[in-house]
């Protein structure tokens, strides 16, 4: 594929050219793209538009790698993607509307605030409106409204009195007549959160900027121009990952993800946040064209996640390539990344729905507060087979469900149900007998249970060193399904460290579904798709309790697929060739049920049995060689390990029968929808031996559902 690097060259080290690229940055990018076997042409795009267009067209790009910041006016960043679009040339990065908005700081914050994202109180100052409301709390910070790279920002930008404020406004308006942003100064920590659209969960890591200048030189911890490019550039150090407690981290990550979603960023971006002294994160700025310099935030966060510079460039190109449906032999994904991380729409996102109850915000198991999900995905071709000539393909992974941030020290009631037992869930006998859950729940393929088991033990021993002293033993919960139709299980790609990574990468919020994590090589009802999730929330008059379900789905025959009562599989079975389908009888599904309703183990056993009814509703008949294993836990009752060991009696609340009936209904609905989402969210998967599990045809299914479609 032919790629042109579009850039504006920095010819001198002045504040006016601070946003432009030095030659060494262009050379570094050129080297990385060339190493990825692309045909690369650097194109300097400063100057008159007609000359720029001529240069671009002469390079004959199939894709433009855009790092051009522009040189003139508040629309300078948006000019280039708008130009590429008008020329009909695909490009990396976000569209012109995003770049236009991000460069207008005041407007960007107005949009963020309208979407419920916390921003500092502020306003736009112009020559015609210099009046600052008296109710603003000092200190305030004043900065150019349409500049980047900390241009126009110095220690004098923070003002403590109305007199200082007016003087600074007059001074800055001379250099930046297009306007200033004035807002309340947030005392706290300076954080950046970069994203790569093709990276699992998109968000990389939280980066903290530490300010090391003496107080007499820098009273305020701000990223002013002197700290970024001036004489004090080395006075700011980077810590990644930032040291934060779990609550702070979750709030910051949630704000960052919300920002990227609201702004519809593509390929790469960065959001800057100030963490107030009281723990509140504030949106400060979005940068959809973050620096790719190795010392800056994006690359530091990538390094923390095990990515090299070349890995980052590969993922950026890969994301753009997928968005524009380009094809390229050079796009070979590392085994750590999914073939296509961004999933297709869920059933509900296509306009159809299942059941009576409302879903949670994410329609996922993570709607149960405290529950997190993490994936590690292995997709690789041309893999050597141990002791056998030739090569093969790997399609597998690990998925972790964390019931809480501290399950070992604060136990929660658990239960389960085995509908058919030709499958494996290590640790389920302890859960059923002891009636408590104390570890994360891990899912993978059949051959990897042992290695995942080892990884969970390593993680738990490291996180809870007291186990060495009190002679406690760790009995992990690890469920499996057989992915050998698409994954060559002889290779045994999954390692113990993958389990640790899946646990550590687990997040709250939206859950990636389909052919991801443990579900990468799974096939459901003869379609691709393994990981699915859904949730239900009871009405407020019934306490608003939440039920969340996550499935590792690898079962079912196409002809039996049933969605909200319609056996759509009967018609689909007629049009898909049978000779290419998975022929083995062996199939399994693991169901993880979470709820915040206070329940005891016996009730959770009963709840798990109702989840099996959800499997039946979607088309399972529990074949003789399949495994349908369900585990359920409640976050509504927590008991500390020490209390459990010492107290003779435990006091626990639990729901009564009238309320549990609603939970039964909710778990049936959520289980059915989770299985359907596992299929709907996959875009198909080709695996070892050329085996292929197709994507389910959304349009055809919606047509068959007919009356169940929602306007």
């Amino acid at each position: 594929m032919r790629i042109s690097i579009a850039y504006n060259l920095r010819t001198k080290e002045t504040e006016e050219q601070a946003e432009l690229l030095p030659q060494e940055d262009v050379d570094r990018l050129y080297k990385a793209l060339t190493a990825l076997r692309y045909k690369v042409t650097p194109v300097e795009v400063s100057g008159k538009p007609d000359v720029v267009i001529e240069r671009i067209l002469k390079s004959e790009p199939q894709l433009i790698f855009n790092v051009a910041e522009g040189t003139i006016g508040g629309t300078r960043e948006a000019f280039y993607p708008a130009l590429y679009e008008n020329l009909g040339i695909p490009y990396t990065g976000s569209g012109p509307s995003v770049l236009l908005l991000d460069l207008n700081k005041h407007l960007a914050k107005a949009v963020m605030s309208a979407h419920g994202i916390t921003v500092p109180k502020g306003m736009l100052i112009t020559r015609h409106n210099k009046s600052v409301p008296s109710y603003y709390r000092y200190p305030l910070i004043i900065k150019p409204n349409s500049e980047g790279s900390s241009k126009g920002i110095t220690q004098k930008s923070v003002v403590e009195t109305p007199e200082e404020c007016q003087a600074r406004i007059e001074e800055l308006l001379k250099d930046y007549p297009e306007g200033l942003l004035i807002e309340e100064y947030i005392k706290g920590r300076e954080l950046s959160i970069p994203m790569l659209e093709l990276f699992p969960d998109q968000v990389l890591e939280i980066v903290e900027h530490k300010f090391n200048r003496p107080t007499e030189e820098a009273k305020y911890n701000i990223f002013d121009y002197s700290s970024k490019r001036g004489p004090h550039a080395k006075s700011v150090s980077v810590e990644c990952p930032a040291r934060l407690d779990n609550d702070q981290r979750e709030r910051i990550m949630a704000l960052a993800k919300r920002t990227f979603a609201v702004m519809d960023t593509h390929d790469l971006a960065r959001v800057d946040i100030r963490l107030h002294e009281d723990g509140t994160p504030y949106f400060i700025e979005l940068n959809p064209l973050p620096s790719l310099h190795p010392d800056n935030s994006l690359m530091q966060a990538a390094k923390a996640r095990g990515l090299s510079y070349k890995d980052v460039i590969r993922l950026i190109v890969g994301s753009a390539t997928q968005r524009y449906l380009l094809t390229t032999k050079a796009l070979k994904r590392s085994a750590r990344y999914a073939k296509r991380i961004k999933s297709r729409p869920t059933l509900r996102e296509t306009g159809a729905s299942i059941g009576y109850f409302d879903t949670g915000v994410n329609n996922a198991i993570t709607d149960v507060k405290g529950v997190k999900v993490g994936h590690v995905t292995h997709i690789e071709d041309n893999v050597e087979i141990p002791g056998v000539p030739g090569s093969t393909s790997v399609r597998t992974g690990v998925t972790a469900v964390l019931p809480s941030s501290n399950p070992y020290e604060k136990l929660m009631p658990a239960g389960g149900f085995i509908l058919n037992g030709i499958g494996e869930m290590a640790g389920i006998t302890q859960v059923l007998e002891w009636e408590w859950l104390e570890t994360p729940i891990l899912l993978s393929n059949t051959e990897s249970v042992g290695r995942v088991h080892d990884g969970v033990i390593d993680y738990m021993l490291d996180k809870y060193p007291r186990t060495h002293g009190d002679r406690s033993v760790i009995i992990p919960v690890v469920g499996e399904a057989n992915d050998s139709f698409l994954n060559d299980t002889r290779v045994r790609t999954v390692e113990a460290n993958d389990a640790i990574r899946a646990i550590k990468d687990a997040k709250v919020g939206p859950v990636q579904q389909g052919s991801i994590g443990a579900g990468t090589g799974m096939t459901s009802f003869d379609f691709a798709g393994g990981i699915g999730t859904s949730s239900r929330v009871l009405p407020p008059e019934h306490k608003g309790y939440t039920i969340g379900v996550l499935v590792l789905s690898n079962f079912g025959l196409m002809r039996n697929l049933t969605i909200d009562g319609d056996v759509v599989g009967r018609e689909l079975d007629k049009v898909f060739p049978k000779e290419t389908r998975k022929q083995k009888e062996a199939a399994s599904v693991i169901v993880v049920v979470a709820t915040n309703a206070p329940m005891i183990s016996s009730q959770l056993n009963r709840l798990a049995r109702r989840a099996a009814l959800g499997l039946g509703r979607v088309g399972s008949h529990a074949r003789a060689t399949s495994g349908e294993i369900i585990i359920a836990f409640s976050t509504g009752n927590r008991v500390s390990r020490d209390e459990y060991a010492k107290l003779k009696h435990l006091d626990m609340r639990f729901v009564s029968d009238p309320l549990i009936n609603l939970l039964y209904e909710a778990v049936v609905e959520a289980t059915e929808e989770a299985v359907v989402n596992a299929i709907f969210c996959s875009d198909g998967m080709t695996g070892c031996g050329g085996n292929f599990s197709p994507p389910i045809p959304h349009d055809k299914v919606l047509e068959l559902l007919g009356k169940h479609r929602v306007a």
Side-chain angles (χ1 to χ4, degrees):
M1 183 166 67
R2 296 186 304 277
I3 296 180
S4 294
I5 303 172
Y7 66 99
N8 301 113
L9 184 64
R10 186 190 304 169
T11 57
K12 49 187 177 182
E13 293 298 325
T14 62
E15 188 168 345
E16 290 73 20
Q17 293 195 9
E19 294 177 285
L20 310 187
L21 237 61
Q23 187 63 50
E24 63 180 271
D25 285 7
V26 180
D27 294 342
R28 186 183 301 109
L29 181 55
Y30 176 86
K31 183 179 179 181
L33 288 167
T34 303
L36 292 168
R37 300 184 181 181
Y38 298 115
K39 184 178 180 180
V40 186
T41 304
V43 180
E44 218 283 357
V45 292
S46 303
K48 295 181 179 180
D50 55 340
V51 176
V52 170
I53 292 171
E54 184 179 351
R55 291 175 189 163
I56 291 172
L57 294 178
K58 186 177 179 179
S59 68
E60 298 182 342
Q62 293 172 295
L63 177 73
I64 292 177
F65 197 111
N66 183 50
V67 287
E69 300 270 0
T71 57
I72 302 172
T75 62
R76 60 186 181 273
E77 288 185 359
F79 168 77
Y80 292 102
L83 178 62
Y84 310 146
E85 288 186 1
N86 279 277
L87 292 174
I89 304 173
Y91 59 93
T92 62
S94 299
S97 60
V98 177
L99 273 74
L100 183 67
L101 189 58
D102 93 272
L103 204 56
N104 189 323
K105 295 181 174 66
H106 172 68
L107 186 56
K109 287 182 177 175
V111 172
M112 294 296 104
S113 180
H115 282 83
I117 294 172
T118 306
V119 303
K121 184 182 295 182
M123 64 177 293
L124 180 66
I125 295 290
T126 66
R127 289 176 175 178
H128 307 292
N129 181 23
K130 303 178 185 179
S131 177
V132 178
S134 59
Y135 54 81
Y136 275 23
R137 294 176 298 179
Y138 286 84
L140 304 175
I141 185 168
I142 310 171
K143 59 186 92 169
N145 187 53
S146 299
E147 296 291 347
S149 298
S150 296
K151 291 167 65 175
I153 301 177
T154 69
Q155 285 291 309
K156 292 194 298 180
S157 296
V158 182
V159 295
E160 297 186 345
T161 66
E163 293 74 23
E164 283 184 30
C165 181
Q166 288 302 318
R168 185 61 179 162
I169 287 173
E170 295 294 341
E171 182 181 352
L172 279 175
L173 278 176
K174 295 175 183 177
D175 295 325
Y176 304 99
E178 62 274 13
L180 309 173
L181 174 67
I182 184 167
E183 61 188 16
E184 294 181 354
Y185 173 65
I186 305 300
K187 296 180 180 179
R189 299 163 69 179
E190 182 87 12
L191 307 173
S192 293
I193 303 90
M195 65 83 84
L196 291 172
E197 190 174 17
L198 204 58
F199 190 79
D201 208 32
Q202 294 193 349
V203 177
L204 289 172
E205 189 50 85
I206 301 175
V207 179
E208 180 169 9
H209 301 282
K210 300 275 192 175
F211 300 93
N212 305 314
R213 285 165 65 183
T215 306
E216 58 271 16
E217 291 184 17
K219 182 177 180 181
Y220 301 101
N221 288 332
I222 59 173
F223 224 149
D224 56 20
Y225 184 78
S226 178
S227 298
K228 193 167 276 191
R229 300 194 184 280
H232 301 290
K234 294 185 178 180
S235 67
V236 179
S237 59
V238 167
E239 183 174 81
C240 183
R243 298 181 184 180
L244 301 160
D245 62 39
N246 290 333
D247 181 64
Q248 289 174 328
R249 182 179 178 84
E250 288 179 9
R251 294 178 71 185
I252 291 164
M253 284 296 201
L255 190 154
K257 291 177 183 178
R258 180 69 174 146
T259 298
F260 296 135
V262 166
M263 298 295 276
D264 193 28
T265 52
H266 289 301
D267 303 341
L268 74 164
R270 188 193 77 227
V271 62
D272 296 332
I273 289 172
R274 290 284 286 195
L275 182 62
H276 195 281
E277 292 171 342
D278 66 7
T280 303
Y282 284 80
F283 169 87
I284 299 299
E285 188 172 338
L286 173 76
N287 189 344
L289 274 177
S291 170
L292 296 174
H293 191 282
D295 294 337
N296 286 359
S297 299
L298 190 149
M299 288 300 175
Q300 289 294 315
K303 182 179 179 181
R305 300 303 294 269
L307 300 177
S308 67
Y309 182 91
K310 190 167 75 170
D311 288 332
V312 171
I313 303 306
R314 178 193 292 117
L315 290 172
I316 294 170
V317 174
S319 179
T321 299
Q322 289 188 7
R323 187 166 68 259
Y324 291 105
L325 302 178
L326 303 175
T327 57
T328 168
K329 293 181 180 179
L331 263 179
K332 292 183 179 178
R333 202 76 64 229
S334 161
R336 290 173 290 178
Y337 310 115
K339 180 181 178 184
R340 182 178 175 90
I341 296 299
K342 291 198 73 177
S343 63
R344 298 166 80 205
T346 63
L347 173 74
R348 201 165 287 264
E349 288 169 343
T350 64
S353 64
I354 286 175
Y356 167 77
F357 292 105
D358 290 335
T359 70
V361 173
N362 301 297
N363 192 20
I365 194 172
T366 50
D367 287 322
V368 178
K369 187 176 180 181
V371 178
K372 302 177 183 179
V373 175
H375 301 296
V376 170
T377 301
H378 288 280
I379 292 182
E380 192 172 4
D381 296 313
N382 301 317
V383 180
E384 293 184 3
I385 309 169
V388 179
S391 61
T392 189
S393 298
V394 168
R395 303 287 188 270
T396 193
V398 179
T399 294
V401 179
L402 273 64
S404 72
S405 60
N406 194 8
Y408 183 77
E409 295 290 359
K410 295 202 73 176
L411 311 174
M412 59 187 66
F417 176 64
I418 301 171
L419 179 62
N420 200 59
I422 310 302
E424 178 62 70
M425 178 176 276
I428 190 67
T429 52
Q430 185 204 24
V431 169
L432 294 175
E433 183 68 27
W434 193 39
E435 303 182 342
W436 300 96
L437 181 65
E438 62 175 354
T439 74
I441 299 167
L442 275 291
L443 308 173
S444 191
N445 72 59
T446 307
E447 305 294 329
S448 300
V449 171
R451 293 184 177 188
V452 173
H453 197 276
D454 284 346
V456 180
I457 291 175
D458 289 343
Y459 169 81
M460 296 289 286
L461 291 178
D462 180 64
K463 185 175 176 64
Y464 304 104
R466 64 177 280 185
T467 57
H468 298 282
D470 63 13
R471 298 184 181 179
S472 298
V473 294
I474 306 296
I475 303 179
V477 177
V478 183
E480 57 80 24
N482 178 6
D483 59 10
S484 59
F485 179 65
L486 297 173
N487 176 53
D488 196 325
T489 56
R490 295 174 294 177
V491 178
R492 299 180 68 197
T493 307
V494 172
E495 301 286 351
N497 191 54
D498 290 324
I500 298 173
R501 284 179 52 212
I503 295 170
K504 290 185 175 180
D505 287 351
K507 304 290 189 300
V508 298
V511 176
Q512 292 171 302
Q513 302 177 69
S515 300
I516 187 81
T520 302
M522 303 299 173
T523 300
S524 300
F525 293 90
D526 296 310
F527 294 107
I531 293 293
T533 188
S534 187
S535 67
R536 293 295 185 273
V537 179
L538 299 192
E541 62 269 24
H542 298 297
K543 304 296 185 181
Y545 290 131
T546 300
I547 288 276
V549 172
L550 181 139
V551 299
L552 174 60
S553 177
N554 189 51
F555 75 105
L557 300 175
M558 189 181 298
R559 66 173 183 260
N560 299 135
L561 177 60
T562 305
I563 300 177
D564 203 25
D566 280 357
V567 189
V568 297
R570 277 197 295 252
E571 295 300 319
L572 298 174
D573 191 61
K574 298 174 183 177
V575 297
F576 280 87
K578 295 180 175 57
E579 61 272 12
T580 61
R581 299 183 197 176
K582 179 178 177 180
Q583 298 298 317
K584 292 185 178 180
E585 291 275 326
S588 296
V589 57
I590 303 293
V591 182
V592 181
V593 179
T595 183
N596 61 355
M599 302 180 79
I600 56 177
S601 180
S602 60
Q603 292 178 314
L604 290 163
N605 291 336
R606 294 157 65 193
L607 189 69
R609 286 197 288 272
R610 272 64 180 188
L613 296 178
L615 297 178
R617 282 196 5 175
V618 82
S620 168
H621 54 276
R623 296 170 71 86
T625 54
S626 70
E628 288 85 13
I629 303 174
I630 304 159
I631 185 169
F633 62 87
S634 167
T635 64
N637 279 316
R638 303 294 300 277
V639 176
S640 76
R641 179 171 289 272
D642 290 336
E643 287 177 339
Y644 183 79
K646 296 175 182 178
L647 297 180
K648 294 183 178 180
H649 299 91
L650 297 175
D651 293 326
M652 299 176 68
R653 295 171 58 247
F654 55 92
V655 298
S656 62
D657 280 352
L659 188 54
I660 206 171
N661 284 328
L662 297 175
L663 295 172
Y664 289 164
E665 186 178 356
V667 78
V668 171
E669 289 184 9
T671 303
E672 179 186 356
E673 188 165 335
V675 174
V676 175
N677 283 341
I679 308 169
F680 259 59
C681 290
S682 175
D683 63 354
M685 184 65 70
T686 300
C688 62
N691 290 337
F692 176 61
S693 292
I696 194 169
H698 288 179
D699 291 345
K700 180 64 174 176
V701 171
L702 294 174
E703 178 187 335
L704 294 171
L705 287 174
K707 64 180 187 296
H708 292 293
R709 297 203 64 180
V710 177

